[in-house]
Amino acid sequence: MRLPVGEIVRPVGLLEKLYTARQILGIYNSVIITATYTTPLTLTAETIYSTLSSTILPLIQRHPVLCCYFEGADTSKPVFKRLDSIVVADVLQIRDLGKPGALSEVLQELHDKRWPMNSKPLWKLVGLREPVESPEAGNFKIHIVFVYHHILGDGLSGTAFHKSLLGYMKLTEKAGLQTIDVPKVINTPIFTDLVEPVEKLTSLPVSWLFLLQQLVKEYAPSWLTGASSPTWAGEPVQTLKMCPFRSRVRIVAIGEAEGNLLLQESRRHAVSLTSLLAATVVATLAQAVPEALNITGITPYSFRRMTGTPEDDMTVQNSSFQTTYSTDVLDRMRKASLASDRAESLWKAAKYFYTQMRNELDKCPQDNVLGLLPYVSNHVAYYEKKFGKPREATFELSNLGIVKIGGDMLPDAWSLDSMTFTQGAQPAGAALTVNCISVDGGALTLAITWQDSIVHESIINALASEYRNLARSLETRSLS
């Protein structure tokens, strides 16, 4: 579609409106997908800048949403508009990491930066050079960080961006261009087509029974519904005045061999790896928070199989489902003293999650939470009414799965070590978030994120430790 500068590209979709509302309230800033590479080549800041800047134009041509912003976030009809140009300095930054292993600190900083409310890009590409631990090591490590507003894309959009980025870097390399003179301002394409919002691509039928259940859950008092014990979810939802927005990030890297063992054990017990990772959160919190009566998890999943949208396109098409673990489940985990009993309770929780997940996916798109979005008349008010109330979920666990990037896709002498998927603090969301991503033939990376002061750090430490030792623990239990 050929558009004049500043003309409307299309209205913001129903799901996308949730992210414009969060922008207004300042309660969610960004999604970040980081790719970590190792190379024996000496990479100067100038070389990295030249290489990455050369990809900006083809990237926005491949993913037109990158040259869009939105207006009217405080209205009922926000719209996407096209930027006429992009200042390279607004979207590209090259930095030194400072010290080895300091990636978490930089991600925290990037997550806490709010996006401008004017006509500016809603994404940024950051190249981080990690210092070499010793001259004898001979390898240089670079982290390529893609930071973006959630309205531009879901988690899979971040991996799509990285694949495109590698493709254009490879083209530059094949052309034999060592340095490229990139203008400081890049004019955007005049042809701008965005993927349609999810409600335009598939039906979202909602039964009267499902709608009634949601209304009762939302408005009926607990004494009338006989609701179960309240969910433990850290501190209540707070405004930014009550609790400043400060993201915390803890990264747990699991090597290829250990990751394969976790996958094999999951298959042996007829569940998914995501099921095991969710059950581990529950088992950890059962011990770390003895006063918890209920634990509720939220699991996002892609809706692209329902819409037919390719994974290599940038768009927002995700839904989610809840799983609640009762006092009985938590007490069984707490009382399990033998390793075999602990393993049994862990796999039971994993099987419960897996069953709930299959039930959710089997009925899609019938009675899906996305089908409730037309009933939300004011998205800002939807979040504002949560302030001061208990959080609806203990944890969110999102798994992007395995990213397959072959060696032929990489620049010469580069190897992909790992990828990291993070979300920032969620003042109106779950108390903590676990984001998972792995690379084919490489590491499985788990990133635990939370809002400072909402969850005690000792709980995060316990969960990180449990994940680090999970493969060894399962191996020991299977031999006992």
Side-chain angles (χ1 to χ4, degrees):
M1 181 192 309
R2 181 168 181 160
L3 292 171
V5 174
E7 286 298 307
I8 295 173
V9 179
R10 70 162 172 81
V12 171
L14 295 176
L15 176 59
E16 295 159 343
K17 285 182 180 180
L18 294 178
Y19 305 121
T20 63
R22 293 182 190 182
Q23 169 84 3
I24 288 289
L25 297 171
I27 56 174
Y28 189 101
N29 289 341
S30 57
V31 184
I32 299 180
I33 306 289
T34 303
T36 298
Y37 301 93
T38 299
T39 176
L41 304 175
T42 301
L43 297 175
T44 65
E46 291 75 17
T47 300
I48 299 170
Y49 180 89
S50 179
T51 300
L52 294 182
S53 62
S54 71
T55 68
I56 294 176
L57 180 57
L59 279 169
I60 63 178
Q61 290 172 332
R62 172 63 185 87
H63 302 292
V65 75
L66 296 174
C67 58
C68 291
Y69 65 102
F70 61 86
E71 279 190 354
D74 54 349
T75 72
S76 61
K77 296 181 179 180
V79 294
F80 283 106
K81 288 191 171 184
R82 183 178 73 87
L83 294 163
D84 63 324
S85 61
I86 289 178
V87 177
V88 173
D90 287 342
V91 297
L92 178 60
Q93 184 180 29
I94 310 300
R95 297 170 54 175
D96 287 329
L97 196 54
K99 60 182 179 179
L103 180 60
S104 292
E105 299 171 16
V106 176
L107 294 179
Q108 289 172 174
E109 173 199 330
L110 293 172
H111 274 301
D112 287 352
K113 290 184 177 179
R114 294 190 65 178
W115 299 103
M117 292 293 288
N118 51 13
S119 307
K120 291 284 188 178
L122 299 174
W123 62 280
K124 184 180 288 288
L125 188 57
V126 182
L128 294 173
R129 295 192 309 162
E130 183 164 324
V132 179
E133 294 188 28
S134 65
E136 295 78 19
N139 283 333
F140 294 84
K141 186 170 287 187
I142 178 172
H143 307 274
I144 297 182
V145 185
F146 177 44
V147 190
Y148 57 105
H149 196 297
H150 212 329
I151 198 172
L152 301 187
D154 48 25
L156 289 176
S157 298
T159 61
F161 177 93
H162 275 281
K163 289 178 181 179
S164 298
L165 174 66
L166 282 174
Y168 299 127
M169 289 172 62
K170 191 72 174 178
L171 287 175
T172 299
E173 180 183 72
K174 286 182 177 179
L177 301 175
Q178 299 299 317
T179 59
I180 301 169
D181 185 17
V182 177
K184 294 182 179 180
V185 179
I186 295 176
N187 293 325
T188 62
I190 57 176
F191 294 92
T192 307
D193 281 312
L194 302 186
V195 177
E196 289 293 325
V198 64
E199 68 271 14
K200 298 288 187 181
L201 298 174
T202 185
S203 61
L204 297 167
V206 174
S207 67
W208 284 109
L209 177 59
F210 180 73
L211 184 58
L212 180 61
Q213 289 172 337
Q214 305 309 310
L215 290 172
V216 170
K217 179 181 175 181
E218 185 75 16
Y219 297 107
S222 58
W223 60 265
L224 180 62
T225 61
S228 57
S229 303
T231 289
W232 180 88
E235 295 298 321
V237 177
Q238 300 176 13
T239 65
L240 297 185
K241 290 183 178 179
M242 300 165 62
C243 181
F245 191 105
R246 182 166 181 260
S247 301
R248 300 293 305 279
V249 176
R250 183 72 53 82
I251 297 174
V252 179
I254 297 176
E256 181 184 3
E258 291 181 322
N260 287 336
L261 189 147
L262 296 180
L263 187 58
Q264 291 167 8
E265 284 295 300
S266 298
R267 288 172 176 168
R268 190 166 72 86
H269 288 83
V271 298
S272 64
L273 176 59
T274 303
S275 308
L276 172 60
L277 297 175
T280 302
V281 179
V282 178
T284 303
L285 295 180
Q287 302 296 336
V289 192
E291 69 273 19
L293 301 176
N294 266 344
I295 286 176
T296 297
I298 293 178
T299 306
Y301 61 90
S302 176
F303 224 68
R304 296 185 187 221
R305 71 183 183 92
M306 269 65 74
T307 64
T309 303
E311 288 190 358
D312 289 338
D313 286 349
M314 284 194 64
T315 185
V316 181
Q317 293 185 12
N318 53 279
S319 186
S320 64
F321 70 98
Q322 282 192 0
T323 47
T324 297
Y325 304 84
S326 66
T327 303
D328 289 342
V329 172
L330 302 182
D331 283 345
R332 279 198 299 271
M333 289 179 162
R334 289 165 180 145
K335 293 174 182 177
S337 56
L338 299 176
S340 58
D341 293 337
R342 291 195 295 273
E344 181 182 2
S345 65
L346 179 72
W347 289 116
K348 279 186 176 180
K351 190 64 176 180
Y352 166 71
F353 174 95
Y354 183 76
T355 301
Q356 296 297 307
M357 179 181 68
R358 291 309 321 167
N359 291 341
E360 170 74 13
L361 296 178
D362 287 346
K363 70 180 178 66
C364 275
Q366 176 71 40
D367 288 343
N368 193 274
V369 292
L370 294 182
L372 301 174
L373 291 176
Y375 299 93
V376 181
S377 58
N378 187 323
H379 292 75
V380 173
Y382 169 79
Y383 285 111
E384 285 180 326
K385 70 179 182 180
K386 298 178 184 289
F387 293 139
K389 297 180 181 179
R391 295 170 188 270
E392 297 172 1
T394 311
F395 70 94
E396 176 185 317
L397 188 142
S398 183
N399 188 0
L400 294 183
I402 301 174
V403 180
K404 296 184 178 181
I405 296 177
D408 58 335
M409 298 173 63
L410 297 170
D412 288 345
W414 283 42
S415 62
L416 175 61
D417 295 343
S418 63
M419 298 189 80
T420 306
F421 166 34
T422 55
Q423 300 183 72
Q426 298 199 53
L432 63 94
T433 302
V434 180
N435 299 293
C436 320
I437 189 171
S438 58
V439 296
D440 195 19
L444 163 66
T445 305
L446 311 177
I448 307 168
T449 57
W450 72 103
Q451 184 178 358
D452 197 28
S453 80
I454 297 301
V455 178
H456 198 281
E457 194 158 355
S458 62
I459 296 174
I460 305 300
N461 293 339
L463 180 56
S465 176
E466 193 66 29
Y467 276 139
R468 288 192 190 96
N469 298 315
L470 184 56
R472 188 182 309 111
S473 175
L474 291 179
E475 191 173 31
T476 302
R477 292 173 191 175
S478 65
L479 295 174
S480 61

